[in-house]
Amino acid sequence: MIKTLMKSIREYKRDSILTPVFVTGEVILEVIIPLLMAFLIDKGILQSDMDYIKKISVLLVVCCIVSLILGALSGKFAASASAGFAKNLRRDMYYNVQNFAFSNIDKFSTSSIVTRLTTDVTNLQNAYQMVIRIAVRCPLMLLFSLVMAFTINPVLSCIFLAAIPILGVGLYVIMRHAHPIFEKVFKIYDKLNLVVQENLRGIRVVKSYVREDYEEKKFKDVSEHIYELFVKAEKLLAFNAPLMQFAVYGCLLMISWFGAHFIVSSTMTTGELTSLISYTMQILISLMMLSMVFVMITMSRASAERITEILTETSDIRDPEKPVYKVNDGSISFKNVSFGYSKTKMCLKDVNIDIKSGETIGIIGGTGSSKSSLVQLIPRLYDAVKGQVLVGGRDVREYDIEALREEVAMVLQKNVLFSGTIKENLRWGNENATDEELMRVCRLAQADEFIQTFPKKYDTYIEQGGTNVSGGQRQRLCIARALLKKPKILILDDSTSAVDTKTDASIRRAFREEIPDTTKIIIAQRVSSVEDADRIIVMDNGCINAIGTHEELLKSNAIYKEVYESQVKGGGLGE
């Protein structure tokens, strides 16, 4: 885990190394200062030697100033190193997520990935800053102060050796019991993010159904669960402070008591006792700071494990060793294809289809008949569990993934537009497209007409998710974006459901006339959207029930005939 996380330090190695270097210098000077104070008291003040007092005073001022400068530098470089480490962690995680197959995304869930990219990275950033600064400072201060203390009075210094095991055992017990609680906390954070995400996405539905109270209760329940777990963890961590105070005050009392006896018996000077008390404070403060580091590491360990899971996750869909970069044409073949989102249940069973390049294929079927699952295998959004999917005469697993997806344009059921202008959204299809090309594809998708009604036309700003345009406008913009790729295969997954039948017919006519060589697969609920296709596939329960033209299926297929008649009688074809 540590090795994986260390890879994200990269260009901040220098800052990560300089921080402990400056900390070491700062610690050395802080350890020298009590020794100079002892000399000042014993050889200067007690002997009334002003020259010696002036000389030691100058040394003390220099040591304090240099120590201050080194401390400031260590803080500066520690902040730079930790913030840079966090930046690289976020980048590495985000880039790795971009390579995930849909199955990998399903494994973690969106809300969990968001928590890992935000809360978990912040925890690790704080821990890293403490590790390169405080976790270096404290052991060095502890070691150097102990050495100086034993140099002054070995007998009195043995008091520290009795305190260290007590603190060590106490910290171990606290850490052991606190870590599992923090693991649970961050999993609940995922759930909290999910609740907020769902509420914000569906805020219109929540308000229209007056379900604010229900959503508030959901949020409150999750939030209270986090509160309860944090309280439980903090109760354990709270033992840290009294344990430290017990050790600090116990050591100070014993050193003061025995030190007074040593001064009375002339085996120890006043300056030495003063410096020994200073070293006592340095040693015990170091132990207290170390305990804080251990607490932070305990909290961040769960975050580190969760981040490592994302960084080490490899996509279920990868390029072959010697990929094919050219897709010859838009022909598609499914040969005995079976597929399931889980290994135990197949949603597609032994599918066999041959589609010629340039054909227009309609797909119709009831909800849950796996229409969308079928087309998602073409651009390798998922891989078939059994059988082969061929595009351009080759198995899709032989292609370079990027090259394959460049030739397959998909307009999914859930149309997504991003915050930005209409032009910026369209150029997702081709970032180098000219304004003329944008207008051409929008005319094909029947989008140009409504765009021209906007005051800023193609420079109109689209809100996140396309909330400031209607469902039908959003669908047409997404179709235009897909056409801009100039793909060999165009897949429309129920993506004209929000447009009227007249506009739907105009879009299909434009496809026939303007992109005759592109293979077009149209998934639809309305028979009118597919009736003029070259062939129509009827799906039922993950299997192909029938294939034929509109006329053939009306005569021979009961499912198709039933759908058609229900829409005719219900007015579905003329909406």
Side-chain angles (χ1 to χ4, degrees):
M1 182 179 72
I2 292 172
K3 192 176 178 181
T4 301
L5 295 172
M6 292 280 281
K7 290 176 184 175
S8 296
I9 297 172
R10 290 195 294 277
E11 70 268 30
Y12 297 97
K13 278 181 183 176
R14 184 192 70 122
D15 292 0
S16 299
I17 292 168
L18 284 174
T19 299
V21 169
F22 287 127
V23 165
T24 303
E26 181 189 12
V27 168
I28 289 169
L29 289 170
E30 285 188 19
V31 170
I32 289 171
I33 288 170
L35 190 64
L36 292 175
M37 288 294 295
F39 291 155
L40 183 70
I41 293 168
D42 291 340
K43 297 181 182 179
I45 295 171
L46 294 179
Q47 295 182 19
S48 303
D49 188 342
M50 283 305 298
D51 290 336
Y52 190 80
I53 290 171
K54 287 176 184 177
K55 186 170 75 172
I56 295 297
S57 297
V58 169
L59 273 173
L60 278 169
V61 170
V62 169
C63 284
C64 288
I65 291 171
V66 175
S67 177
L68 181 66
I69 292 168
L70 291 174
L73 286 171
S74 70
K76 174 183 177 294
F77 285 109
S80 171
S82 60
F85 173 57
K87 180 194 77 173
N88 286 346
L89 268 181
R90 277 189 291 267
R91 177 193 174 279
D92 294 344
M93 289 170 71
Y94 188 78
Y95 277 41
N96 202 37
V97 168
Q98 298 306 303
N99 294 324
F100 282 1
F102 281 14
S103 54
N104 299 102
I105 299 286
D106 296 341
K107 174 182 173 182
F108 287 103
S109 84
T110 305
S111 58
S112 178
I113 292 172
V114 169
T115 308
R116 293 168 203 242
L117 279 162
T118 51
T119 306
D120 288 326
V121 170
T122 301
N123 287 338
L124 216 55
Q125 176 182 343
N126 294 334
Y128 185 68
Q129 185 168 2
M130 291 194 81
V131 164
I132 60 174
R133 194 178 183 201
I134 308 301
V136 172
R137 175 188 171 83
C138 295
L140 286 175
M141 180 68 80
L142 182 65
L143 178 64
F144 292 162
S145 297
L146 274 172
V147 169
M148 296 303 292
F150 272 94
T151 303
I152 292 168
N153 194 308
V155 177
L156 273 180
S157 300
C158 288
I159 292 168
F160 303 126
L161 298 180
I164 291 171
I166 295 169
L167 292 173
V169 171
L171 283 173
Y172 172 76
V173 171
I174 291 168
M175 285 176 65
R176 186 178 176 185
H177 289 87
H179 174 66
I181 299 172
F182 285 116
E183 279 186 323
K184 289 180 185 176
V185 165
F186 295 123
K187 285 178 182 175
I188 306 300
Y189 264 126
D190 293 346
K191 193 174 179 183
L192 182 70
N193 269 341
L194 180 63
V195 169
V196 173
Q197 228 173 26
E198 282 184 340
N199 180 267
L200 293 176
R201 278 181 181 171
I203 193 69
R204 288 170 176 80
V205 178
V206 172
K207 288 185 177 298
S208 63
Y209 281 88
V210 198
R211 296 288 280 173
E212 290 91 344
D213 291 343
Y214 174 74
E215 288 295 313
E216 285 171 9
K217 185 180 182 302
K218 266 170 63 180
F219 181 85
K220 185 182 176 183
D221 289 345
V222 178
S223 188
E224 282 185 354
H225 195 183
I226 292 173
Y227 165 76
E228 288 165 5
L229 287 171
F230 260 120
V231 167
K232 192 175 179 182
E234 291 296 337
K235 281 180 181 176
L236 285 169
L237 298 179
F239 284 108
N240 182 49
L243 187 66
M244 287 297 156
Q245 287 178 343
F246 171 76
V248 168
Y249 294 129
C251 288
L252 278 174
L253 282 170
M254 292 179 74
I255 284 170
S256 299
W257 173 260
F258 289 111
H261 282 77
F262 284 134
I263 289 171
V264 170
S265 61
S266 300
T267 55
M268 192 178 184
T269 65
T270 305
E272 286 175 341
L273 180 59
T274 304
S275 63
L276 195 62
I277 289 171
S278 295
Y279 288 130
T280 302
M281 291 306 298
Q282 286 181 349
I283 289 165
L284 296 172
I285 288 171
S286 297
L287 287 168
M288 286 181 73
M289 294 300 288
L290 265 179
S291 73
M292 287 174 61
V293 172
F294 283 126
V295 167
M296 179 58 75
I297 289 171
T298 302
M299 290 178 64
S300 62
R301 183 179 151 197
S303 293
E305 289 166 353
R306 286 158 53 83
I307 288 169
T308 305
E309 281 179 354
I310 295 283
L311 291 174
T312 55
E313 180 77 7
T314 56
S315 176
D316 292 338
I317 296 176
R318 294 186 290 274
D319 283 327
E321 287 184 14
K322 294 180 180 179
V324 176
Y325 290 93
K326 188 183 178 191
V327 180
N328 293 322
D329 55 48
S331 63
I332 305 164
S333 291
F334 285 76
K335 297 187 180 297
N336 300 314
V337 171
S338 293
F339 169 74
Y341 296 100
S342 67
K343 293 179 180 178
T344 54
K345 188 178 180 182
M346 294 293 110
C347 58
L348 287 171
K349 303 154 198 166
D350 295 320
V351 174
N352 287 280
I353 317 167
D354 286 307
I355 301 169
K356 295 174 186 175
S357 183
E359 255 193 307
T360 298
I361 299 294
I363 301 179
I364 202 161
T367 303
S369 58
S370 300
K371 303 182 296 294
S372 297
S373 300
L374 180 75
V375 295
Q376 285 178 0
L377 301 179
I378 297 170
R380 282 195 81 193
L381 298 181
Y382 291 95
D383 268 339
V385 174
K386 177 188 167 189
Q388 284 182 302
V389 179
L390 281 71
V391 170
R394 305 197 70 141
D395 193 316
V396 290
R397 286 170 284 207
E398 295 177 17
Y399 286 110
D400 172 75
I401 295 171
E402 192 173 321
L404 173 66
R405 289 177 183 170
E406 280 294 333
E407 300 295 351
V408 182
M410 285 192 75
V411 184
L412 300 169
Q413 276 178 316
K414 293 180 181 178
N415 299 285
V416 177
L417 292 174
F418 299 89
S419 53
T421 64
I422 289 175
K423 281 183 180 178
E424 288 169 347
N425 269 280
L426 292 174
R427 285 194 171 113
W428 275 67
N430 178 3
E431 60 185 350
N432 300 314
T434 63
D435 288 354
E436 290 74 21
E437 287 175 308
L438 297 183
M439 293 177 71
R440 177 182 171 274
V441 295
C442 284
R443 281 193 291 269
L444 286 174
Q446 307 301 305
D448 182 68
E449 186 179 344
F450 75 78
I451 292 172
Q452 295 298 339
T453 64
F454 296 147
K456 293 187 178 180
K457 297 181 171 53
Y458 283 82
D459 290 313
T460 299
Y461 189 82
I462 299 291
E463 300 292 343
Q464 185 182 14
T467 54
N468 59 331
V469 290
S470 70
Q473 290 171 340
R474 191 158 59 242
Q475 285 187 337
R476 282 174 275 173
L477 286 172
C478 289
I479 291 170
R481 181 175 64 190
L483 289 171
L484 204 58
K485 287 180 74 173
K486 298 176 182 175
K488 287 187 169 70
I489 299 169
L490 175 64
I491 300 169
L492 303 179
D493 187 355
D494 204 16
S495 49
T496 56
S497 57
V499 301
D500 58 83
T501 51
K502 183 182 175 183
T503 305
D504 188 9
S506 299
I507 291 171
R508 286 182 281 114
R509 184 172 60 251
F511 288 171
R512 277 197 309 274
E513 294 169 359
E514 300 291 335
I515 50 171
D517 296 328
T518 298
T519 304
K520 297 163 282 292
I521 299 176
I522 302 168
I523 297 175
Q525 298 294 336
R526 292 186 301 212
V527 171
S528 61
S529 296
V530 297
E531 64 181 347
D532 59 351
D534 296 319
R535 285 184 294 161
I536 300 167
I537 298 170
V538 179
M539 294 198 68
D540 181 38
N541 196 28
C543 299
I544 294 177
N545 185 271
I547 302 176
T549 63
H550 172 67
E551 291 75 17
E552 289 170 348
L553 292 172
L554 273 179
K555 293 176 184 176
S556 61
N557 188 261
I559 295 175
Y560 189 80
K561 188 177 179 181
E562 184 183 341
V563 173
Y564 177 77
E565 288 178 350
S566 67
Q567 291 181 2
V568 169
K569 288 175 184 175
L573 293 177
E575 287 177 357

